Amino acid sequence: MATTWDEAFADRYQEWSGHMTADVAFYLDLAREAEGPVVELAIGDGRVAIPVAREIGRRVVGVDISPAMLAQARTRAAEAGVELDLRECDMRDFALDEPAALIYCPFRSLQHLPTWADRRRTFERVAASLRPEGRFAWNAIAFDHRIAVQLDGARQEKPVPHTVRYAVGDNRVDLVLDDGAKSSFWWATKNEWLGLLDVAGLELEALYGGFAREPFTEDSREYVFVGRRRPS
């Protein structure tokens, strides 16, 4: 089971993620404030980690299960002249030699974990890998049934040709390329995310409705979470 961008999507990843730029500044601000190691889960091709590493002047540890994505990150980091500590690992099992000041997971990548148990295991690994008061940040979609009705079964041309299919009973969205390659993600409610923080021994620092730190409201369609490890 893939827990990051599907291997078959790797060669289209830059096209797919190219529109996403607002999150870089958000995670970069958190990294500037981190007095200690910085870790990105599901690092992909290094889209966020490379500018973060350049700005803070030290390595970012990058975890990903996809060899193809890690190869892209390695190449792009070398081209940018920055150093990443890349590790092929399932985010549910990662471990660090030194506790982190910041762990973040951009581009809704936690939603590639299909079950509560998978997410809980990941959150527990995060909590075990953070310093006291260390932060954990991520973003995820807030499910909107009206958008689902519009998109379900429809073929989209951008950012690459694909079809969106919803499996509501499984909380799952499938993105299917024309050649049959598929990547799936599972949505969760606000209370489920908050519950994961709680059971892992983390606490909520902030919940935003977007990367400009706007308030989260009932009309928000994006969760942007910042959690914190509870003091020892």
Side-chain angles (χ1 to χ4, degrees):
M1 177 189 63
T3 57
T4 184
W5 199 251
D6 190 293
E7 201 79 350
F9 274 63
D11 62 350
R12 310 302 298 271
Y13 182 80
Q14 290 186 34
E15 296 171 76
W16 196 280
S17 64
H19 72 285
M20 179 63 81
T21 57
D23 62 338
V24 176
F26 177 82
Y27 292 113
L28 185 53
D29 283 345
L30 295 177
R32 288 192 189 101
E33 298 170 1
E35 297 182 0
V38 174
V39 178
E40 181 174 328
L41 302 182
I43 192 172
D45 67 356
R47 178 185 63 86
V48 179
I50 289 170
V52 167
R54 181 188 296 116
E55 177 67 21
I56 66 176
R58 59 184 190 274
R59 292 185 302 172
V60 171
V61 176
V63 175
D64 206 296
I65 200 173
S66 167
M69 295 310 309
L70 289 170
Q72 290 188 29
R74 191 171 294 107
T75 298
R76 295 188 71 199
E79 292 171 349
V82 302
E83 187 176 359
L84 301 177
D85 181 353
L86 299 173
R87 306 182 184 186
E88 184 181 335
C89 182
D90 190 316
M91 70 173 76
R92 295 168 297 184
D93 297 318
F94 82 97
L96 302 177
D97 301 326
E98 180 183 359
L102 171 67
I103 299 174
Y104 67 94
C105 188
F107 206 32
R108 305 166 178 164
S109 294
L110 285 176
Q111 293 184 270
H112 289 289
L113 297 165
T115 70
W116 166 272
D118 291 318
R119 292 174 186 152
R120 176 174 180 171
R121 185 168 156 186
T122 300
F123 273 62
E124 289 172 342
R125 293 309 312 146
V126 167
S129 301
L130 281 173
R131 296 179 174 184
E133 303 290 341
R135 284 167 156 171
F136 178 39
W138 76 98
N139 63 291
I141 62 165
F143 176 74
D144 186 331
H145 65 282
R146 293 164 295 189
I147 294 175
V149 168
Q150 294 172 3
L151 295 182
D152 187 29
R155 186 175 183 274
Q156 308 288 316
E157 291 294 333
K158 296 181 179 181
V160 298
H162 69 285
T163 301
V164 181
R165 296 173 183 161
Y166 282 80
V168 176
D170 196 32
N171 287 19
R172 190 182 80 247
V173 183
D174 296 327
L175 307 175
V176 185
L177 299 186
D178 288 356
D179 64 4
K182 182 174 72 173
S183 192
S184 300
F185 65 93
W186 289 257
W187 67 84
T189 67
K190 180 177 71 174
N191 282 335
E192 287 176 303
W193 291 119
L194 293 174
L196 286 161
L197 285 171
D198 185 57
V199 299
L202 303 169
E203 59 189 15
L204 180 68
E205 177 179 311
L207 169 57
Y208 304 109
F211 295 111
R213 299 177 186 256
E214 56 265 46
F216 185 86
T217 71
E218 62 183 22
D219 296 319
S220 298
R221 295 298 172 262
E222 189 84 20
Y223 301 116
V224 181
F225 282 97
V226 181
R228 187 185 293 272
R229 182 179 168 184
R230 294 172 182 152
S232 299

